[in-house]
Amino acid sequence: MVEVVTSVGLPIDEKLIIKKNRILPFNKDFTDMKRISVVTGIHGDELEGQYVCYELQRRIDLEKDKLKGIVDIYPAMNPLGIDSITRGIPAFDLDMNRLFPGNKDGNMTEYLAAGIIEDVKGSDCVVDIHASNIYLTEIPQIRINELHEDILVPLAKEANVDFIWVHGASTVLESTFAHSLNSIGTPVLVVEMGVGMRLTKEYGNQMVEGILNLMKNLGIWEGEVGKIKKPMISRDPDDVSYLNATASGLFVPDVKHGKRLAKGELIGKIVDPLCGKVLDEVRSPQAGLLFTIRDYPIVDEGSLMGRVLNEEVCIYE
């Protein structure tokens, strides 16, 4: 059942409309039913969640009689951004994920943000799916504000991701969608996976399995669920090493992300296409898991090349 979440008028008699698809069980008594919300498209250039929305609904339709709760699918929170393949809201040059919780008496973007929060709040669990930007590729992970880890980490363990990254509070902006809802008691899991402007079907299928497993744990789903991964969990900022380019040039990787690395192992080279020279070798500063790698090959000095999770954390709780 497609519903309008919120809308606002645009110039020349057009409207910006944000929609959701509410999937209900055959049982018509919805009293005290649990609800899960799947949100994506807050950033218009992050498309990994689009496939998840499609595949999740396809899987539910195959066993609709197993659905025992409410599933709300929000595939395009920033429809103008998705249409124009831009991260923020076009024409306004605004990052939508810096506008929450919004204000119903505010400007157009604040009004939209407030309408979204009003509609999503009260969910028993919200899965907010993001991709990386066009420069980096990430393994499926959930990032959590340490202020809410007691509630969110147990949920995240059921979501079939490879890695749970618990950040300090200072790394999470109060104006994000997730922080705004977590602060009022609606639990939100922020998923980062894949790369901007593209789809990684393998990761999408992995996330669908995780959402179905979350639904099963919440009593929303009684259908089949595949094998669920046990995630690695990091709570110490020193667990992660950041690899930054020491020169400008072309990055040529020698390994794929998700690889276990030895200390000093070659990750890739920065080369000069004009002179045919190697400008620098990018090597792992520690033994561990390469969970982020540079996907866009042109780099400037200081560009992020990757992230390595310490080997001691690469165990499954």
Side-chain angles (χ1 to χ4, degrees), residues 170-292:
S170 63
T171 66
V172 181
L173 296 176
E174 293 184 1
S175 52
T176 62
F177 171 76
H179 185 84
S180 297
L181 283 171
N182 279 317
S183 297
I184 59 173
T186 297
V188 182
L189 300 175
V190 179
V191 177
E192 296 276 354
M193 65 180 191
V195 62
M197 294 191 183
R198 290 182 285 285
L199 296 180
T200 311
K201 190 175 178 182
E202 172 191 353
Y203 291 164
N205 289 333
Q206 180 178 337
M207 197 66 243
V208 168
E209 217 65 57
I211 293 171
L212 288 172
N213 191 57
L214 277 169
M215 290 166 58
K216 196 156 196 170
N217 278 269
L218 290 169
I220 296 173
W221 182 246
E222 294 181 349
E224 292 297 318
V225 175
K227 186 176 180 181
I228 300 301
K229 292 188 174 186
K230 292 182 179 180
M232 300 165 285
I233 302 178
S234 169
R235 293 181 173 87
D236 187 341
D238 293 334
D239 289 340
V240 176
S241 293
Y242 295 78
L243 311 174
N244 297 97
T246 59
S248 300
L250 185 75
F251 173 61
V252 182
D254 280 75
V255 297
K256 292 183 177 180
H257 76 302
K259 185 178 189 300
R260 294 290 183 95
L261 300 169
K263 183 176 182 179
E265 185 171 344
L266 182 66
I267 295 171
K269 303 180 185 71
I270 301 174
V271 302
D272 181 353
L274 178 63
C275 300
K277 293 182 178 179
V278 175
L279 302 175
D280 189 29
E281 291 185 341
V282 182
R283 295 184 178 274
S284 180
Q286 61 179 354
L289 177 74
L290 182 68
F291 70 92
T292 306

Side-chain angles (χ1 to χ4, degrees), residues 87-108:
R87 181 175 179 83
I89 302 174
F92 295 91
D93 195 27
L94 291 172
D95 184 339
M96 191 174 193
N97 210 25
R98 301 295 180 267
L99 300 174
F100 294 101
N103 182 352
K104 285 218 166 183
D105 297 318
N107 61 32
M108 185 194 94

Side-chain angles (χ1 to χ4, degrees), residues 33-44:
M33 273 192 180
K34 295 291 183 72
R35 171 165 62 113
I36 189 168
S37 294
V38 179
V39 172
T40 190
I42 288 178
H43 292 135

